Amino acid sequence: MQTERESSLTQKEKLFLLTKFVEDHPEAEIQDFYKWLYYGEFGMEESSLIMTGRQSIPELHVVLSEIKKEETENTESELIWEPMGLAARFVKVYVTKYFHMDCPVKRLVNLLERSPAFRGARMSFKLDWNLLKETALELRPELTRRDFINFEERINFHQLPAMPYTDGYAEKNPFAYRVVSQKLFFDYFPEFEDNSVFHPFSGNESIIG
């Protein structure tokens, strides 16, 4: 199963993941598509902790405080994880749901720290971006090719910068999360693996998380 998990997705499988993301998130803007794709190829950018001023606070304490906040507000994702991007390298893990499944928070922090070793390639990202762009234009007719060109020019796309989610997307998707290597996550938690998420046409069906 590990070999299949690490293999690249077919074009059909990528289109399935992409279509599901676009349809599940009508609030998503081009920048959110980019962020989702970026996370799937490269994981969480290490600079994000610095940008938010967290470098002086241990990541474990940050995660625990996020869990405490969501428990106080009685908010929790229904999913423990979901796929990110089209590269199938990383998954988004919802920290409060993860914690309530009796999974150790220290392990999640460890996976986060080890995940940069599994970052993908710029060329793969650009190829998947082209696929995303063409598909999004079909699924979201209000978007235009010029909209994508304007976005690429605004962010200096050839440098592939890390970008935040838009405020509108973040508001609709408020749950605390960490993005970690898919391989590492399922090596430690094989009970959560659902191969049908990435290979939906193999004949078996089940629900994410």
Side-chain angles (χ1 to χ4, degrees), residues 42-152:
F42 303 113
M44 294 189 87
E45 55 279 3
E46 294 170 272
S47 61
S48 66
L49 302 183
I50 297 174
M51 287 189 295
T52 55
R54 291 179 178 174
Q55 73 273 24
S56 60
I57 306 175
E59 184 68 11
L60 177 62
H61 294 174
V62 176
V63 175
L64 289 173
S65 67
E66 290 173 347
I67 293 171
K68 184 176 181 180
K69 180 176 183 291
E70 291 195 341
E71 286 181 331
T72 300
E73 297 172 350
N74 197 27
T75 58
E76 179 180 319
S77 170
E78 294 181 1
L79 305 177
I80 186 170
W81 69 271
E82 65 178 301
M84 296 300 289
L86 302 178
R89 289 178 173 274
F90 294 86
V91 293
K92 176 190 280 188
V93 179
Y94 291 100
V95 297
T96 303
K97 183 68 170 181
Y98 169 93
F99 175 71
H100 288 160
M101 296 292 286
D102 294 325
C103 300
V105 177
K106 282 186 177 180
R107 171 63 65 196
L108 182 63
V109 172
N110 175 258
L111 297 184
L112 181 66
E113 292 171 346
R114 295 171 57 194
S115 287
F118 294 85
R119 285 168 64 90
R122 295 164 64 91
M123 184 57 67
S124 297
F125 179 85
K126 289 182 176 180
L127 290 173
D128 283 342
W129 174 250
N130 288 333
L131 174 62
L132 183 152
K133 183 161 45 176
E134 295 304 318
T135 306
L137 287 170
E138 292 183 14
L139 297 174
R140 294 277 299 275
E142 76 277 14
L143 297 176
T144 67
R145 203 167 295 277
R146 170 48 60 183
D147 291 332
F148 276 91
I149 293 173
N150 289 344
F151 171 78
E152 291 168 0

Side-chain angles (χ1 to χ4, degrees), residues 10-23:
T10 65
Q11 188 89 342
K12 187 178 181 182
E13 289 166 342
K14 288 184 176 185
L15 285 171
F16 181 86
L17 283 177
L18 177 53
T19 300
K20 186 176 189 311
F21 179 77
V22 174
E23 291 180 346

Side-chain angles (χ1 to χ4, degrees), residues 19-34 36 82 92 94 139-140 142-143 164-175:
T19 300
K20 186 176 189 311
F21 179 77
V22 174
E23 291 180 346
D24 286 351
H25 298 282
E27 76 281 1
E29 300 178 26
I30 293 175
Q31 184 165 313
D32 301 310
F33 297 148
Y34 177 92
W36 176 75
E82 65 178 301
K92 176 190 280 188
Y94 291 100
L139 297 174
R140 294 277 299 275
E142 76 277 14
L143 297 176
Y165 283 120
T166 62
D167 291 342
Y169 182 90
E171 185 179 335
K172 290 281 189 179
N173 303 274
F175 306 112

